[in-house]
Amino acid sequence: MSVSKTKNLERKLNNYEKEATSELNNVCGSSLWESLGFMFFDQLEDPEKIAKANFYYGQLQIINEIKFSI
């Protein structure tokens, strides 16, 4: 992959990471989930919030795996 394509991919991944982190902060009401991981989501009472948190946390995991492989 060319340098420009790699940098473009990294930029897109960073944008997705920021969006997922922001959504998780909104759903959880704080950034405490960053230190506790997905176990924090069990403390949420609303099933929709739990589902949304799991979705965005999964996105972050995928983003980190992609970043590690490039």
Side-chain angles (χ1 to χ4, degrees), residues 28-69:
C28 296
S30 72
S31 61
L32 186 58
W33 64 269
E34 291 183 54
S35 60
L36 297 176
F38 69 91
M39 295 185 72
F40 180 83
F41 308 149
D42 292 338
Q43 298 175 6
L44 299 172
E45 294 179 10
D46 184 1
E48 285 185 37
K49 285 186 175 186
I50 295 170
K52 194 172 184 178
N54 283 318
F55 173 77
Y56 283 109
Y57 190 76
Q59 272 194 337
L60 283 177
Q61 296 297 93
I62 292 169
I63 290 166
N64 289 330
E65 287 180 29
I66 294 170
K67 282 183 171 184
F68 181 74
S69 67

Side-chain angles (χ1 to χ4, degrees), residues 10-21:
E10 288 175 359
R11 189 171 30 256
K12 286 179 182 180
L13 289 172
N14 286 337
N15 286 337
Y16 289 134
E17 183 177 22
K18 287 178 189 174
E19 177 187 356
T21 301

